[in-house]
Amino acid sequence: MKSARSKAELGPAPGETRDREEGLAFMPKFGADGLATCVAIDASRGDVLMVAHMNEAALRATLATGVLHYWSRSRGALWRKGDTSGQTQTLVELRVDCDQDAFLALVEVGGDGGACHTGRRSCFYRRVETDGDAARLAFIEPPMARG
């Protein structure tokens, strides 16, 4: 009698990889930690705003409400973007990468127009500069004025 093997041991079922990469079925794939990366981009300007993570509950809530939900790894909790900061993100379009384990959310930004908890429009407000073997950060975006 053959012993039962887990799906992880067997790999994808026949045709599953092709279906996931070329088919029309939405089959999101979450990592061993239950998370998938989501990059949020301002739909009107094209700015990359932030990178966060979604679990299945965050993805379902986002699709059901049209408001971005993420999984906070530091708090270990589901959070709706903007509940505490007022920096809301309304879903315009959700894209998925080739193997359906990362998402690209085109969003309409609400509140003060920011996305970063530091008070900036984007979480990517510094660049890495090198001088020989040394690397340092340089600010490219100041904090937004708070009214």
Side-chain angles (χ1 to χ4, degrees), residues 49-52 70 72-75 79 81-89 109 112-126 141-144 146:
L49 299 172
M50 58 184 278
V51 174
Y70 299 106
S72 171
R73 294 181 299 170
S74 61
R75 293 184 302 248
W79 59 287
K81 180 68 176 147
D83 275 355
T84 56
S85 67
Q87 299 172 332
T88 58
Q89 295 177 353
V109 180
D112 64 7
C116 185
H117 72 280
T118 66
R120 291 175 174 84
R121 176 159 174 71
S122 169
C123 292
F124 297 93
Y125 54 88
R126 296 175 289 184
E141 182 178 327
M144 295 170 55
R146 301 248 172 174

Side-chain angles (χ1 to χ4, degrees), residues 4 14 20 48 52 55-56 61 71 78 100 106 109 112 126 134 142:
R20 190 181 300 272
V48 175
N55 63 4
E56 188 174 349
W71 176 258
L78 184 69
Q100 298 197 40
L106 286 81
V109 180
D112 64 7
R126 296 175 289 184

Side-chain angles (χ1 to χ4, degrees), residues 3-26:
S3 65
R5 293 174 58 192
S6 74
K7 188 173 182 178
E9 292 173 313
L10 293 173
E16 184 177 320
T17 298
R18 178 148 177 81
D19 290 346
R20 190 181 300 272
E21 292 175 354
E22 299 295 334
L24 297 178
F26 185 44

Side-chain angles (χ1 to χ4, degrees), residues 12-73:
E16 184 177 320
T17 298
R18 178 148 177 81
D19 290 346
R20 190 181 300 272
E21 292 175 354
E22 299 295 334
L24 297 178
F26 185 44
M27 302 184 309
K29 185 170 65 172
F30 298 92
D33 58 2
L35 301 176
T37 302
C38 181
V39 178
I41 296 179
D42 183 308
S44 64
R45 293 177 38 168
D47 300 339
V48 175
L49 299 172
M50 58 184 278
V51 174
H53 298 88
M54 288 183 164
N55 63 4
E56 188 174 349
L59 177 60
R60 286 183 189 277
T62 297
L63 294 174
T65 66
V67 175
L68 271 286
H69 288 68
Y70 299 106
W71 176 258
S72 171
R73 294 181 299 170

Side-chain angles (χ1 to χ4, degrees), residues 76-98:
L78 184 69
W79 59 287
R80 183 173 62 184
K81 180 68 176 147
D83 275 355
T84 56
S85 67
Q87 299 172 332
T88 58
Q89 295 177 353
T90 302
L91 186 63
V92 173
E93 179 178 297
L94 185 67
R95 298 181 185 179
V96 64
D97 76 338
C98 56

